[in-house]
Amino acid sequence: MPKAVVPEEKRRRRRPTRSGKVLSEQIIVDTALRLLREHGAAGLTARRLGLALDCDPSTLYRYFRGMDELTLAIGDTLIGQALHGWRPTGSWRDDLRMLGLRIHAAYVAHPQAAVLTTSRVTGRANELAADEAVLTVLRASGLPVPQAVGVYHAFIDQTLAFAALDAASLALPNAALLAEEEVWRSTYSRLPSATHPHIAEAAPLLATQMVASAFPAALELLLDGVAARMGQG
């Protein structure tokens, strides 16, 4: 049976760590993000966290039932970063575009964390706020509930799928990432038109476009589809 998490008010009354730091969920999450950035997923362990926070690893279980619950909190923190400062404008297309770009950017800013969390459903406050924001935009646009849910599903899954794909590339060692980008120039650009006519004619564009994220373009295609469904296309 998992250990019970100590209520927040009781945690705050506990003594600081050996270095004088008073722990909180957010401090633990921020430290976990740093460890992921520096060491990757393999480096995120209770032992490493305890060393980084100068506390016994068992102390962490007063805040989280286990490392999986910490992973969910990390994902929810990234969503919170995406929502920070966002305000609806009243234009469904502008609002949906900005939400998508913000969510995608928040994840790829922490690629190692994104790889761990994009497929997870946290049920936490920031995730709920993001879902409510998207559905509010869609319902305010005039879409009935069934269509709004369908668009929400496509929108959020597309956003997170691209975040996971782009984050996985960014999480590669630099040498591997550069080697993959070089393939578009060294291999595709040298294919003869006799055998690969369409790749040969597109090679210069492939070399520049395939090394960047396709998410903004895919997002516009999705928004075009929504507009067409509304009769605005």
Side-chain angles (χ1 to χ4, degrees):
M1 178 180 294
K3 298 179 181 179
V5 174
V6 177
E8 180 68 27
E9 65 275 7
K10 292 186 178 180
R11 296 180 219 150
R12 285 197 296 263
R13 288 200 294 267
R14 293 185 63 79
R15 290 180 299 176
T17 63
R18 291 182 291 269
S19 61
K21 181 179 295 183
V22 177
L23 292 182
S24 68
E25 282 194 11
Q26 195 56 56
I27 287 175
I28 295 171
V29 167
D30 290 343
T31 304
L33 283 169
R34 177 172 62 81
L35 290 179
L36 283 168
R37 184 169 59 252
E38 295 174 354
H39 305 288
L44 184 61
T45 64
R47 179 178 175 276
R48 277 187 181 271
L49 266 175
L51 287 172
L53 293 164
D54 197 24
C55 70
D56 190 280
S58 64
T59 304
L60 303 173
Y61 296 101
R62 295 182 61 83
Y63 298 84
F64 300 99
R65 291 182 176 86
M67 295 302 290
D68 190 63
E69 188 174 57
L70 173 58
T71 298
L72 297 181
I74 291 169
D76 198 58
T77 292
L78 297 184
I79 298 173
Q81 292 175 1
L83 290 179
H84 182 71
W86 177 80
R87 297 290 183 273
T89 67
S91 166
W92 73 264
R93 185 167 186 137
D94 290 343
D95 290 343
L96 210 57
R97 178 190 297 112
M98 187 52 64
L99 280 169
L101 293 173
R102 278 173 164 264
I103 293 170
H104 178 268
Y107 278 103
V108 298
H110 300 277
Q112 294 83 3
V115 170
L116 284 180
T117 61
T118 46
S119 63
R120 305 301 302 274
V121 179
T122 74
R124 286 173 166 254
N126 291 319
E127 180 182 87
L128 297 176
D131 292 346
E132 182 69 15
V134 174
L135 288 168
T136 298
V137 168
L138 293 171
R139 290 291 286 127
S141 75
L143 283 178
V145 173
Q147 289 191 20
V149 170
V151 172
Y152 157 79
H153 189 184
F155 169 80
I156 202 66
D157 276 13
Q158 175 176 288
T159 302
L160 294 176
F162 268 99
L165 176 65
D166 294 338
S169 292
L170 292 172
L172 289 172
N174 285 338
L177 182 59
L178 292 173
E180 289 201 355
E181 293 179 353
E182 179 59 26
V183 169
W184 292 105
R185 295 184 291 271
S186 63
T187 300
Y188 281 76
S189 64
R190 296 177 182 175
L191 291 173
S193 58
T195 57
H196 300 82
H198 298 298
I199 292 179
E201 69 177 356
L205 289 175
L206 291 173
T208 58
Q209 292 191 22
M210 296 304 293
V211 297
S213 175
F215 176 65
L219 179 57
E220 291 303 321
L221 289 174
L222 183 144
L223 296 175
D224 286 345
V226 177
R229 181 169 294 187
M230 294 176 178
Q232 299 176 7

